[in-house]
């Protein structure tokens, strides 16, 4: 996914709340605990005011009006209330801390799985247009940023709003003239916060975009380390990484400079209000217009009201960071899936394997048409080879059969049924693919051969390895089938990886086998051995062999020659040689009987 705008009607926070709907009970409980904690947290200034009132007025105090005449009894009551309030505050602080953290953890867990699951359902073109590093930044860094906000920031915002409302209402009831001075800085702070928020939002979107670019550069360089070293390009790549890191540093700096300026401005607004209340309230208390206890409460509660606003800048900073990350995550989740599964189930045990392409049209996004009115029939149980020059459309045929891309016209049928009507997992489960680009997962040799097979039989794994001519080198490995292959199989040679991939397809035992340049990375001896095995592997199943080496397909039941997305010749090996066309020319070139025209 690029940083193109994906049309949304809602703000990131509204979109996030929709995704939190399944955890509604946890959210509500956490909110209630945060509010109760803040209520008890605001009580101590009132207790201080009551204590001052008891000491100053004695039996005329507010507590005395509740029937507690003795001053000592009033102090004991205050002590008991203090204990209860502190205990309740501590209890609800523990509860909201646990609940918000649990919510943060479960949310990041669910969002990461949801985003990854959606990512797996997107078409192959999506991954070709984006970088794996940027997607990693979304799935990891952006979701972790949201987790940090839910862990702390959400509770801070709730408690700040609660403080402003409760203290503001309480002050208005007790001393409305004095409360006016406490209210004065609040509109300034809120308006300033909104203004800063609008300015911070695009800056943090830029920060997340630069973070994605940096992650993409790192992923590309780590994956291409062999090329970097072989071309002695270390200084060049270090400069490129420095440029990406500097762009990230500068975008972060612009956001930090703006957010850092917010807190000092808030402090000056708060200072004005606090000094005004200190003076105005003090003069009223001296003149008898305001009780001393009430004045004490006002001084302490003003601090409780205004000083938390100094954290507003930091909280807004975390909020904007998290919303920028949330938007990227939810934009990924909201990316439309263009290839949707059909509804018809397919029992692969009953698949005969007849494949038909009827008047198929296809073009890659942003490129000229590749297939136009393409027709191809692969009979059930037959072995069909597809050959042709690079870019002729050979591998595209396989991608369309697997529905990795969607054709623009025509029909593709498996056993007479249009493949778009079939359930996608069933369709792909009926086809075993050995791709030219072999990918082995970090794990053991056995785990890679048995990939996607539930409860594999070790004997079946060894049999598949023997058929793929892989058993010989596997037995020579330090831990045989338990040997770790490394990330992307980097501990093995290209030919060894190719043979493990072939063994993986053999163990899948699908009714349709597709070999896309499956012998491209093996030597001539290994290719000859694999060719011997193919006689057994292809028995009783439909096989499509895409090859650059013509020797790989010479024994196929039929060979299809493609040029520029069209079939120009087809027939058996001997027939095509006798025809003297494109295939015969390619054969002579590969056999060394004819030089390639310069």
């Amino acid at each position: 996914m690029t940083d193109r705008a994906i049309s949304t009607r809602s703000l990131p926070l509204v979109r996030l709340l929709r995704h939190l709907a399944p955890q509604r009970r946890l959210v509500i409980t956490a909110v209630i605990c945060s509010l109760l904690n803040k209520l008890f947290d605001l009580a101590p200034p009132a207790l201080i005011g009551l204590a001052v009132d008891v000491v100053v007025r004695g039996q005329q105090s507010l507590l005395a009006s509740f029937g507690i005449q003795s001053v000592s009894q009033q102090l004991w009551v205050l002590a008991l209330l203090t204990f209860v309030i502190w205990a309740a505050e501590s209890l609800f602080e523990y509860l909201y801390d646990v609940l918000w953290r649990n919510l943060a953890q479960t949310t990041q867990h669910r969002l990461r799985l949801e985003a990854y699951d959606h990512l797996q359902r997107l078409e192959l073109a999506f991954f070709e247009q984006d970088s794996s590093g940027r997607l990693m930044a979304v799935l990891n860094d952006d979701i972790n940023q949201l987790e940090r906000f839910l862990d702390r920031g959400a509770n801070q915002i709730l408690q700040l709003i609660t403080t402003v409302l409760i203290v503001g209402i309480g002050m208005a009831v007790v001393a409305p003239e004095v409360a006016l001075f406490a209210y004065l800085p609040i509109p300034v702070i809120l308006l300033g916060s909104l203004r800063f928020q609008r300015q911070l939002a695009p800056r943090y979107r830029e920060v997340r975009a630069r973070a994605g670019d940096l992650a993409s550069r790192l992923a590309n360089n780590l994956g291409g380390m062999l090329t970097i070293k072989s071309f002695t390009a270390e200084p060049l790549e270090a400069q490129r990484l420095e440029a990406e890191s500097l762009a990230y540093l500068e975008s972060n700096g612009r956001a930090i400079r703006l957010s850092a300026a917010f807190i000092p401005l808030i402090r000056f607004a708060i200072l004005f209000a606090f000094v005004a209340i200190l003076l105005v309230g003090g003069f009223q208390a001296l003149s008898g217009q305001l009780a001393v206890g009430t004045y004490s409460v006002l001084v302490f509660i003003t601090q409780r009201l205004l000083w938390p606003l100094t954290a507003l800048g930091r909280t807004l900073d975390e909020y904007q960071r998290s919303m920028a990350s949330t938007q990227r995550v939810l934009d990924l989740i909201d990316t439309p899936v263009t290839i949707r599964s059909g509804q018809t189930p397919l029992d692969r045990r009953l698949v005969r394997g007849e494949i038909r392409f009827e008047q198929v049209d296809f073009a890659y996004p942003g490129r000229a048409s590749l297939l136009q009115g393409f027709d191809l029939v692969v009979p059930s149980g037959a072995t069909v080879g597809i050959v042709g020059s690079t870019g002729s459309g050979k591998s595209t045929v396989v991608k369309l059969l697997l529905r990795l891309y969607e054709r623009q016209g025509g029909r593709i049928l498996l056993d007479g049924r249009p493949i778009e009507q079939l359930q996608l997992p069933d369709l792909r489960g009926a086809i075993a693919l050995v791709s030219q680009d072999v990918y082995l997962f970090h794990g053991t040799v056995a785990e890679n051969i048995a990939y996607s097979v539930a409860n594999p039989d070790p004997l079946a794994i060894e049999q598949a390895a023997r058929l793929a001519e892989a058993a010989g080198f596997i037995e020579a490995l330090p831990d045989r089938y338990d040997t770790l292959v490394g990330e992307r199989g980097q501990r093995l040679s290209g030919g060894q990886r190719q043979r493990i991939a072939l063994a993986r397809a053999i163990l899948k035992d699908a009714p349709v086998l597709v070999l896309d340049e499956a012998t491209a990375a093996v030597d001539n001896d290994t290719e000859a051995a694999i060719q011997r095995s193919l006689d057994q592997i292809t028995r009783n199943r439909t096989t499509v062999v895409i090859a650059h080496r013509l020797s790989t397909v010479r024994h196929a039941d039929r060979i299809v020659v493609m040029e520029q997305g069209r079939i120009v010749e087809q027939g058996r090996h001997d027939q095509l040689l006798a025809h003297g066309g494109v295939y015969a020319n390619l054969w002579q070139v590969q056999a060394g009987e004819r030089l390639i025209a310069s």
Side-chain angles (χ1 to χ4, degrees):
M1 183 183 63
T2 61
D3 279 310
R4 61 187 181 275
I6 297 177
S7 60
T8 54
R9 298 181 181 177
S10 307
L11 295 172
L13 180 60
V14 177
R15 297 169 68 191
L16 175 62
L17 291 175
R18 291 172 184 165
H19 279 268
L20 291 177
Q23 302 178 87
R24 186 181 295 108
R25 181 176 297 178
L26 179 59
V27 174
I28 292 174
T29 307
V31 168
I32 290 173
C33 288
S34 289
L35 297 180
L36 289 174
N37 168 260
K38 180 48 63 175
L39 286 174
F40 287 109
D41 179 60
L42 293 173
L47 293 176
I48 293 173
L50 289 174
V52 172
D53 190 48
V54 168
V55 172
V56 173
R57 299 174 62 195
Q59 294 183 352
Q60 304 299 319
S61 68
L62 180 64
L63 282 180
S65 64
F66 290 95
I68 309 172
Q69 296 296 323
S70 171
V71 173
S72 61
Q73 288 179 346
Q74 293 180 33
L75 291 175
W76 278 109
V77 168
L78 285 175
L80 179 62
L81 286 174
T82 300
F83 177 81
V84 171
I85 288 171
W86 277 84
E89 180 195 357
S90 299
L91 172 65
F92 286 112
E93 182 175 1
Y94 167 78
L95 290 176
Y96 85 62
D97 195 25
V98 170
L99 291 170
W100 281 116
R101 289 189 177 187
N102 285 340
L103 178 64
Q105 293 298 319
T106 54
T107 299
Q108 64 90 13
H109 173 71
R110 288 181 62 256
L111 269 181
R112 183 174 286 115
L113 292 183
E114 183 180 357
Y116 178 75
D117 178 67
H118 186 81
L119 199 62
Q120 290 190 126
R121 292 187 286 116
L122 295 175
E123 69 281 4
L124 202 58
F126 175 87
F127 299 93
E128 293 174 350
Q129 294 169 5
D130 209 335
S131 68
S132 58
R134 212 196 68 79
L135 293 174
M136 280 291 295
V138 173
L139 291 173
N140 192 38
D141 295 344
D142 285 322
I143 289 179
N144 288 343
Q145 186 69 50
L146 173 60
E147 175 201 351
R148 285 191 288 272
F149 172 72
L150 289 176
D151 196 7
R152 300 185 303 269
N155 172 69
Q156 290 171 354
I157 290 176
L158 275 174
Q159 293 202 337
L160 181 61
I161 294 172
T162 304
T163 300
V164 171
L165 290 177
I166 292 178
V167 174
I169 293 172
M171 291 180 69
V173 172
V174 174
E177 301 88 354
V178 179
L180 177 63
F181 292 97
Y183 296 155
L184 285 177
I186 293 179
V188 176
I189 293 171
L190 292 180
L191 290 174
S193 299
L194 293 175
R195 182 178 178 183
F196 268 83
Q197 182 178 339
R198 285 195 297 268
Q199 293 183 8
L200 276 174
R203 298 196 183 196
Y204 279 124
R205 283 197 295 270
E206 182 188 359
V207 168
R208 298 316 309 158
R210 297 293 77 77
D213 294 340
L214 181 59
S216 177
R217 174 65 62 185
L218 286 169
N220 286 336
N221 287 9
L222 292 175
M225 194 56 68
L226 174 61
T227 303
I228 292 173
K229 288 181 175 296
S230 65
F231 282 86
T232 61
E234 293 93 340
L236 172 64
E237 292 303 332
Q239 289 175 0
R240 289 177 174 176
L241 181 62
E242 182 183 8
E244 297 285 5
S245 184
L246 186 61
Y248 176 62
L249 176 67
E250 290 175 347
S251 63
N252 245 321
R254 287 189 290 271
I256 290 170
R257 283 192 295 273
L258 180 61
S259 63
F262 184 54
I263 294 178
L265 295 177
I266 290 179
R267 286 182 179 273
F268 275 105
I270 290 172
L271 177 63
F272 167 78
F274 189 75
V275 170
I277 290 174
L278 194 68
L279 292 174
V280 174
F283 286 125
Q284 287 190 357
L286 288 173
S287 64
Q289 295 176 275
L290 192 65
V292 175
T294 303
Y295 174 62
S296 302
V297 173
L298 287 175
V299 171
F300 281 106
I301 208 70
T302 300
Q303 187 179 27
R304 289 297 185 96
L305 170 66
L306 297 177
W307 283 113
L309 292 175
T310 60
L312 187 60
R314 189 176 300 108
T315 303
L316 281 177
D317 186 77
E318 290 183 358
Y319 172 78
Q320 286 301 341
R321 285 179 181 268
S322 67
M323 289 303 103
S325 295
T326 298
Q327 183 161 325
R328 281 160 54 92
V329 175
L330 298 182
D331 282 351
L332 173 59
I333 292 174
D334 292 340
T335 302
V337 176
T338 57
I339 299 178
R340 299 199 173 270
S341 176
Q343 301 301 315
T344 305
L346 179 68
D347 187 345
R348 74 176 189 176
R349 295 171 298 180
L350 304 178
V351 174
R352 302 190 313 276
E354 182 193 56
I355 301 168
R356 285 182 174 271
F357 285 71
E358 298 180 351
Q359 294 293 300
V360 172
D361 298 327
F362 175 75
Y364 287 103
R367 291 159 62 181
S369 179
L370 179 59
L371 302 181
Q372 291 183 337
F374 181 79
D375 291 305
L376 174 66
V377 178
V378 181
S380 172
T383 297
V384 173
I386 302 178
V387 301
S389 59
T390 301
S392 60
K394 305 186 299 297
S395 296
T396 300
V397 171
V398 175
K399 293 175 181 178
L400 293 177
L401 176 62
L402 285 164
R403 293 195 69 201
L404 300 175
Y405 289 90
E406 204 73 290
R407 71 198 183 286
Q408 280 86 48
R411 297 197 306 168
I412 304 175
L413 302 99
L414 177 62
D415 289 347
R417 286 176 286 186
I419 59 173
E420 68 271 11
Q421 295 180 5
L422 303 175
Q423 292 183 1
L424 204 52
D426 291 350
L427 169 66
R428 293 173 180 169
I431 302 170
L433 171 67
V434 182
S435 173
Q436 180 179 0
D437 182 20
V438 174
Y439 192 97
L440 298 186
F441 296 89
H442 182 64
T444 66
V445 170
E447 288 170 346
N448 273 279
I449 293 176
Y451 183 69
S452 81
V453 177
N455 302 316
D457 181 0
L459 295 178
I461 293 174
E462 294 178 9
Q463 174 65 13
R466 281 194 292 272
L467 287 175
E469 295 292 330
F473 83 83
I474 294 174
E475 294 290 342
L477 293 173
D479 297 313
R480 302 175 66 246
Y481 287 87
D482 292 327
T483 301
L484 292 173
V485 302
E487 188 176 0
R488 297 182 66 92
Q490 60 185 356
R491 295 183 181 180
L492 304 177
S493 69
Q496 290 172 336
R497 292 196 295 268
Q498 198 87 47
R499 281 177 277 175
I500 288 179
L502 181 59
R504 181 163 60 193
I506 293 170
L507 187 62
K508 185 178 181 180
D509 195 26
V512 178
L513 175 64
V514 177
L515 306 176
D516 186 359
E517 300 284 5
T519 60
V522 300
D523 54 39
N524 291 331
D525 291 338
T526 304
E527 182 190 11
I530 291 176
Q531 287 296 328
R532 293 192 298 270
S533 299
L534 285 177
D535 293 337
Q536 181 176 348
I537 296 169
T538 59
R539 194 173 300 156
N540 300 321
R541 61 165 48 91
T542 303
T543 306
V544 178
V545 183
I546 297 173
H548 176 70
R549 293 181 183 176
L550 301 187
S551 57
T552 306
V553 298
R554 63 179 299 179
H555 299 297
D557 298 321
R558 182 158 54 95
I559 300 171
V560 173
V561 184
M562 293 185 63
E563 289 292 336
Q564 298 180 352
R566 298 181 181 275
I567 296 176
V568 294
E569 293 177 357
Q570 56 182 313
R572 295 183 64 87
H573 173 73
D574 294 338
Q575 294 171 335
L576 293 173
L577 286 183
H579 180 65
V582 176
Y583 182 85
N585 181 63
L586 290 172
W587 179 263
Q588 291 171 356
V589 169
Q590 292 191 14
E593 299 174 7
R594 180 175 177 177
L595 295 176
I596 301 175
S598 58

